Amino acid sequence: ELKVEQNPLFLSMQEGKNYTIYCNYSTTSDRLYWYRQDPGKSLESLFVLLSNGAVKQEGRLMASLDTKARLSTLHITAAVHDLSATYFCAGHLMNRDDKIIFGKGTRLHILP
Amino acid sequence: KAGVTQTPRYLIKTRGQQVTLSCSPISGHRSVSWYQQTPGQGLQFLFEYFSETQRNKGNFPGRFSGRQFSNSRSEMNVSTLELGDSALYLCASRNSPGVLYEQYFGPGTRLTVT
């Protein structure tokens, strides 16, 4: 059964700093997703990672996937206050279960 | 293209009552999944419907049920509500299961059980 663990679960950082959120998963995952959620709002898709070595970037966020290590990272460069949100990773295993399993989320608080 | 819509957005119910939530997927999407989000348990998968059939189910008691209509709209029902059922219920749609289509989330229904 696919399990997804994120760390840290809470991160408070200063504007302008860099940091990385880690997402480990327990079995082979056919896809890895990153989502953003603002308080009281729904999930917004950020990245979909398909294959080993995949790297995607959007603004100050960059996601990567290492399928051999079963690890995905979300790197934040020169953080700004607007990036404060909860970030979720999710694994998708295409077997007969075909479920998308979420990590517990990382609550990111960026201090001005 | 309109996004996933959910109704109602907010709901307050009393223990023991039942509730029905509705989800309309993105036009053309035939698969609808439901998730429960709570501060303690995070995002947990409830079930997925495709072509009016439940094809996947999470680890929730039988009080949680759902259905899907021929137009792909889906409803979920929770009977005999408990305080612990207070949560944000999210639905997500995708083109179809069995293919690696990304899913898109609705705004959610915030259920409070008193």
Side-chain angles (χ1 to χ4, degrees), chain A residues 1 30-31 33 35 37 40-43 45 48 50 88 92 94 96-104, chain B residues 35 37 40-43 45 48 55-58 88 90 94 97-103 105-107 110:
Chain A
E1 184 183 322
D30 293 297
R31 250 188 193 193
Y33 305 96
Y35 289 91
Q37 186 179 38
K41 301 287 179 67
S42 189
L43 274 73
S45 177
V48 180
L50 297 177
F88 291 90
H92 185 180
M94 276 280 315
R96 65 184 179 88
D97 285 337
D98 188 26
K99 290 178 186 173
I100 297 173
I101 304 298
F102 283 82
K104 288 198 177 293
Chain B
Y35 294 84
Q37 186 178 25
Q41 299 298 318
L43 264 163
F45 172 76
E48 179 182 18
R55 65 180 301 274
N56 262 324
K57 190 175 187 306
L88 180 67
L90 293 164
R94 52 180 171 155
V99 188
L100 298 181
Y101 283 116
E102 186 179 355
Q103 62 180 4
F105 283 83
R110 172 77 61 185

Side-chain angles (χ1 to χ4, degrees), chain A residues 15-42:
Chain A
E15 274 193 328
K17 300 288 187 186
N18 303 333
Y19 210 81
T20 301
I21 299 170
Y22 296 89
C23 176
N24 291 90
Y25 52 95
S26 59
T27 66
T28 303
S29 180
D30 293 297
R31 250 188 193 193
L32 199 293
Y33 305 96
W34 283 96
Y35 289 91
R36 168 182 172 147
Q37 186 179 38
D38 291 295
K41 301 287 179 67
S42 189

Side-chain angles (χ1 to χ4, degrees), chain B residues 69-110:
Chain B
F69 301 94
S70 58
N71 62 357
S72 296
R73 188 176 71 85
S74 177
E75 288 181 347
M76 68 162 279
N77 184 275
V78 189
S79 62
T80 320
L81 282 165
E82 300 176 359
L83 294 178
D85 296 333
S86 293
L88 180 67
Y89 290 88
L90 293 164
C91 84
S93 75
R94 52 180 171 155
N95 275 300
S96 63
V99 188
L100 298 181
Y101 283 116
E102 186 179 355
Q103 62 180 4
Y104 297 86
F105 283 83
T109 294
R110 172 77 61 185

